[in-house]
Amino acid sequence: MPETRSPQAQGSGLSPAAATAAGHLRSDRGSGNRSHGGTGAVVVPVLVVAAAAAALLVGLRAGGALAVAIPGLPDPGPVTTWALPVTRLLSDALATLTVGMLVTAAFLLPGDGPSVSPHGWLLLRRAGLLSACWAAAALASIVLTVSDLLGVPPQRLNTAAVVSFASSITQGRALLLQATLALTAAVLARVGVSRGLAAAAAVLALVAVTPPAFTGHAAGAGNHQTAVSSLVLHVLAAAVWVGGLAALLVIRRSRQIADAAARYSRVALWCFLAVAVSGLANAAVRLGSVAQLWQSRYGWLVCGKLVALVVLGVVGAAHRSRTLPAMRAGQRAAFTRLAAGEVVVFAATFGLAVALSRSPTPAVTDPVDADPVTELLGFPMPAAPTPGNLLGQPLPDLFFLTVAAVGAYAYLAGVRRLRRAGHRWPVPRTASWLAGLLLFAACTNLGVARYAYVLFSAHMAQHMMLSMLVPILLVGGAPVTLALRALRRPTDPQVRGAREWLLRALHSRPARVLTHPLVALAIYSGSLFGLYFSDLLGTLMRSHLGHLAMVAHFVASGYLLFWVLVGVDPGRRRVPHPILVLVHLVAMMAHGFFGLALMQTTSLLAPEWYVSVHPAWASSLLEDQKLGAGIAWAFGEIPGAFVMGLLVRQWIRDDQREQARLDRAADRAEARGEDDELARYNAFLAEANRRDQDRRGGRRP
């Protein structure tokens, strides 16, 4: 029967699903346990605000961020001095709450068909409001940051200075981008109740957390590859960890809180590990030495965060061992009390984190006599390349190392689960996947990564390995097939686990578009010309974010093309092998034409970058560019021939399987005394030929 709206829903303009959700929430509140509302709902937020404010104040004073202004030097005044850290703390808190509520609504709570659950709808509504406030706080940070940098009180700033900072300076653009993304997430959280829309808003909010991490102390550190990547991982893991716990407290009266808390606990464990490892790596870069932990004010604040991390780890262990079983038995009070205390500790940790961002680091980030090359690269100019230097001078990047380590662990865990269930998994597939990850880690973390910044030839060699060898090996591992076989289905059919989200992604419209052979070919081949015959290369080389984007695109575009050509995972289009062979030939021709065009060019590519970092021991820029062009032209021969061999082999096997199927059908038809498929087809052709001859003879059939 048709769905109707209540008068309240009609008056408020809610959709039927949202109106139903609101009705369920009213019922839940009326019948739920009220013993933990009232006073607790007021006391906990007060304690959270007090802990964050106290930790921020103590951290600012202990870290030296509130030093007395020197007479004669520009001073932004007390408003900026106090309002800027408070605004940053508020922005971080709002971002964390937004991420936590969106992630919980989309991934941790069961749904209501295609829509989120009633409590998921509540979280979406609150996340929309919080995200809008987050955008406002980011915009306010722009004004206060300009005031702090120029030493001018905010009321005396002119609009042109603020606009110029937001549009021209990296830090300002990052804050403006964050405000834009947060506002977009707010709109997505308010316009619908579908789980897909909630997932999109959650992903967008996670992306919005990261832009400021690419500026500030991390970007100016001596090894900004490690500093920036570790900080990005740190803030992402912390946002999911803290925000998810806060979201669970919001829906603590939900009937699904026990199952949601169990799913959150598994996520929180990984977030704890990520926060610990990334925080230690980031602190090591900024401190410079272990002795600075107790010899510097910055080190004192780091020790405070370490103590808080240990406390939170102990509390998390208590959650897993005690409160989760108690919640399954219907005792929610234990979780509420312990989680509320944990949130208070988190708030104090956030205050210390903001104080750290305002405090000077022991490792000098802006020396007076700074080497301009080190300022650009984040590391000193390497010596002339030798086999030992290419492999023995690592440039670790925590982001790439994390991708490789998590990819290897997840794959081996899936293989182990299959074997425990009595199923076999081909060893060559495992070897191919691990070899691909090992090569990926080597190309992005060993000495070759250093030289890829200063030599076009080394950059091109890295590009070819990441876009051809690594994807071919990864595709050979069939990770999607392994995931679909190893991932478990949730016990609740209304919960979408990793397997369900993977299936929806494989059968989505974007996946169908991307897996079209011509689209995959255009992305792979077109990006070669678009990157190197435009100003894009120089722009991307100047920032760590641009470098991450390049590496990700190299691997992703290569994986997409070779998955379409020789992949065995489900989700790709079924295309006849002759067409796939033709697409591969076109890709090889485009690759060769690119190398030839690059060799014939007489103008420098990305001169604004390579002139600034050109080593004294290297050949001329044009000669090195010619060498890189030769690498691009010759590199694709062996991988291309290997892929062609795989295509021909799959073509032959497909024909053999089809012939075997026809033979089995013929045997079954003969056993039943019937004509097989081939005999029926031949009879059809004979009958069609007879009718055609009858028409030509002037007789009616």
Side-chain angles (χ1 to χ4, degrees), residues 684-701:
F684 168 77
L685 292 179
E687 179 64 18
N689 184 53
R690 185 188 64 78
R691 292 187 179 214
D692 184 63
Q693 291 178 353
D694 288 345
R695 288 192 185 93
R696 291 180 180 179
R699 298 191 303 271
R700 297 178 63 85

Side-chain angles (χ1 to χ4, degrees), residues 25 31 57 77 139 143 240 257-258 282 345 419 495 524 548 680:
L25 284 174
S31 60
L57 177 60
L139 293 176
V143 177
V240 175
I257 183 64
N282 197 267
V345 178
R419 290 182 176 176
V495 174
Y524 181 81
L548 292 177
R680 290 195 298 270

Side-chain angles (χ1 to χ4, degrees), residues 14 59 161 223 373 463 471 564 635 646:
L14 295 176
N223 185 353
V373 174
H463 180 176
V564 170
F635 195 91
L646 288 178

Side-chain angles (χ1 to χ4, degrees), residues 155-445:
Q155 63 270 19
R156 292 171 51 191
L157 288 175
N158 57 63
T159 305
V162 177
V163 172
S164 176
F165 175 77
S167 59
S168 304
I169 307 301
T170 303
Q171 189 176 3
R173 289 201 298 260
L175 290 171
L176 183 61
L177 177 61
Q178 184 179 63
T180 304
L181 294 175
L183 192 59
T184 306
V187 173
L188 291 179
R190 304 283 292 191
V191 297
V193 294
S194 71
R195 286 198 273 186
L197 200 62
V203 172
L204 190 63
L206 283 169
V207 174
V209 171
T210 60
F214 290 95
T215 61
H217 282 176
N223 185 353
H224 65 236
Q225 286 79 10
T226 300
V228 171
S229 297
S230 61
L231 184 59
V232 170
L233 292 174
H234 193 76
V235 298
L236 286 175
V240 175
W241 184 14
V242 184
L245 183 64
L248 291 180
L249 281 175
V250 172
I251 59 169
R252 60 190 179 277
R253 297 179 184 175
S254 169
R255 297 183 181 92
Q256 294 86 21
I257 183 64
D259 293 335
R263 286 187 286 273
Y264 164 78
S265 179
R266 293 190 290 270
V267 175
L269 177 60
W270 287 103
C271 290
F272 170 78
L273 295 175
V275 167
V277 174
S278 60
L280 290 174
N282 197 267
V285 172
R286 299 189 186 191
L287 288 172
S289 66
V290 178
Q292 293 297 332
L293 276 174
W294 57 85
Q295 293 179 356
S296 65
R297 294 188 173 191
Y298 191 90
W300 299 347
L301 298 182
V302 172
C303 289
K305 287 192 66 178
L306 289 175
V307 171
L309 183 64
V310 172
V311 172
L312 293 170
V314 173
V315 175
H319 272 305
R320 296 178 65 87
S321 62
R322 297 182 181 181
T323 60
L324 291 181
M327 292 178 70
R328 296 189 188 98
Q331 302 174 9
R332 306 177 189 174
F335 169 79
T336 302
R337 287 193 296 268
L338 194 58
E342 192 176 1
V343 168
V344 172
V345 178
F346 273 128
T349 308
F350 269 54
L352 288 178
V354 173
L356 275 171
S357 68
R358 296 286 296 164
S359 302
T361 62
V364 181
T365 57
D366 297 305
V368 177
D369 55 346
D371 177 20
V373 174
T374 304
E375 287 289 303
L376 284 174
L377 298 176
F379 54 87
M381 177 67 71
T386 63
N389 291 340
L390 291 172
L391 300 177
Q393 292 185 354
L395 183 67
D397 190 294
L398 198 61
F399 181 80
F400 297 138
L401 287 175
T402 301
V403 170
V406 172
Y409 174 82
Y411 194 94
L412 293 176
V415 173
R416 183 182 181 187
R417 181 175 293 181
L418 284 184
R419 290 182 176 176
R420 283 184 172 181
H423 304 294
R424 299 182 61 185
W425 183 256
V427 175
R429 289 186 178 180
T430 304
S432 180
W433 176 262
L434 295 180
L437 290 179
L438 182 62
L439 182 59
F440 170 77
C443 290
T444 54
N445 290 274

Side-chain angles (χ1 to χ4, degrees), residues 15 20 44 51 101 160 184 260 267 416 426 479 509 518 536 540 546 549 558 599 674 684 686 690 699:
S15 66
T20 303
V44 173
M101 292 188 180
T184 306
V267 175
R416 183 182 181 187
R509 184 173 299 177
L518 295 181
L536 186 59
L540 296 178
M599 282 192 291
E674 301 173 352
F684 168 77
R690 185 188 64 78
R699 298 191 303 271

